[in-house]
Amino acid sequence: MSERAAPHYCPYCGDEDLVPHEGDAEKGAGYAWACHSCARVFRVKFVGLRSASVAGGGAGPTGTDGNR
C-alpha cells in the first residue's frame, strides 16, 4: 500500500480537481490536498477501524433503526 492515498473528491465542495499540497507537511498529520475549485486545503488521515465493524456481530444497528 502506498503512503499517500488520494481522496476522490473535496469534502467541502465535492469537486474532483484535487492536487497534493506540498510545503507544510507535519509528521503524523496526514498529507495535505488542495482543491482547485473552492481553493481549500485539507488533510485526510485514516484513524482505524471501529471494534463493532471488525466483530461482525450484532453490536451495530440493523435495518432502519440506526437512531438508538
Side-chain angles (χ1 to χ4, degrees):
M1 179 178 213
S2 80
E3 290 184 25
R4 182 181 298 204
H8 296 285
Y9 58 89
C10 174
Y12 297 100
C13 71
D15 197 70
E16 298 177 357
D17 191 13
L18 303 176
V19 294
H21 180 75
E22 304 293 338
D24 59 349
E26 296 178 24
K27 187 172 177 85
Y31 291 98
W33 292 90
C35 176
H36 282 189
S37 181
C38 68
R40 288 185 169 100
V41 176
F42 60 92
R43 294 183 193 276
V44 178
K45 181 178 178 183
F46 178 73
V47 176
L49 298 173
R50 296 182 324 160
S51 60
S53 297
V54 176
T62 60
T64 58
D65 64 337
N67 296 330
R68 293 185 189 198

